Amino acid sequence: MNKKRVAVLISGRGSNMTALIEAAKAEDYPAEIVLVVSNRADAPGLARAHAAGVATVVVDHTIFGDEREAFERALDEELRTNRIDLVCLAGFMRLLTAWFVGRWRGRMLNIHPSLLPQFKGLHTHRRALEAGVKRHGATVHFVVPEMDAGPIVAQEAVAVRKDDTEQTLAARVLEVEHQIYPQALRAVAEGLTKA
Ligand code: GRF
């Protein structure tokens, strides 16, 4: 099987990254995670990737100052050097310019902890509780220049319970994230879902 070469971009703990790495171990999985890139040297996910035997690289955005495109050119260079086919953003906390998104358009996914288009941006679980919604969840979508927008590949809901706190709700949504991200990547790598 001609597996797609995937890079996962992280900034933090990397639990979605780990779910993708685990799923990709299956022989019939159409993608392999060949690279993990973090914009932060202290991201705990780096150690997890290393332990899983996946190559890691840090592209520290702070050394580029306000030069967002210079940071992205360095990032792009890593991806191209590693012959990456698909990019998965997994808790990657940098907004990407139209230039970078354009280069990877149709080949870059993101996971967001809400039922998009509801609750774009940060603190989604708190905002869902404040809004009193009965259903919350997670979405995997293709990345477009607008933040937390773009064609939806996978989405799953969780019921909000009366006694939910931000933490308990986040934990249940995270379980769903770990299921749908590998499913979405499979569909995209198999060419079943296109942007
Ligand atoms: C996840 O909730 C993801 O949906 C959001 O950031 C969080 C990252 O968590 N974009 P992790 O680093 O994958 O554990």
Side-chain angles (χ1 to χ4, degrees):
M1 197 200 306
N2 192 7
K3 296 193 179 213
K4 295 278 189 260
R5 293 172 62 80
V6 175
V8 183
L9 273 50
I10 64 168
S11 300
R13 73 189 156 181
S15 72
N16 278 290
M17 170 207 77
T18 302
L20 291 171
I21 292 172
E22 286 301 314
K25 284 182 183 166
E27 217 168 286
D28 71 342
Y29 200 78
E32 53 181 337
I33 314 302
V34 296
L35 183 69
V36 168
V37 185
S38 174
N39 65 307
R40 298 181 54 123
D42 61 354
L46 287 170
R48 298 174 84 165
H50 186 71
V54 178
T56 61
V57 62
V58 175
V59 182
D60 180 357
H61 66 278
T62 61
I63 63 174
F64 299 96
D66 292 338
E67 298 285 318
R68 278 170 71 195
E69 225 179 275
F71 162 67
E72 292 177 352
R73 275 198 297 276
L75 196 56
D76 192 63
E77 178 70 30
E78 288 293 345
L79 299 176
R80 285 175 195 274
T81 305
N82 285 280
R83 292 177 288 112
I84 297 302
D85 300 306
L86 297 170
V87 175
C88 289
L89 308 182
F92 184 67
M93 302 303 284
R94 302 298 300 166
L95 289 176
L96 296 166
T97 67
W99 174 77
F100 187 85
V101 172
R103 272 175 94 76
W104 291 93
R105 193 159 187 150
R107 296 185 295 143
M108 180 157 60
L109 298 173
N110 180 44
I111 186 151
H112 184 74
S114 80
L115 294 175
L116 289 174
Q118 279 190 306
F119 308 120
K120 296 178 178 185
L122 298 174
H123 311 301
T124 56
H125 310 304
R126 188 192 314 163
R127 288 160 56 212
L129 290 174
E130 282 167 4
V133 295
K134 299 289 178 213
R135 281 153 44 92
H136 185 43
T139 305
V140 179
H141 62 95
F142 282 103
V143 177
V144 295
E146 187 191 334
M147 187 189 68
D148 298 331
I152 290 174
V153 179
Q155 189 168 58
E156 195 165 317
V158 302
V160 179
R161 297 179 189 154
K162 281 205 175 68
D163 60 352
D164 259 329
T165 63
E166 202 177 332
Q167 287 70 30
T168 59
L169 185 55
R172 285 207 312 291
V173 170
L174 195 62
E175 276 178 35
V176 163
E177 292 185 39
H178 296 164
Q179 289 163 12
I180 66 171
Y181 213 172
Q183 290 165 4
L185 176 60
R186 174 187 279 279
V188 171
E190 284 174 345
L192 300 175
T193 305
K194 293 208 165 63

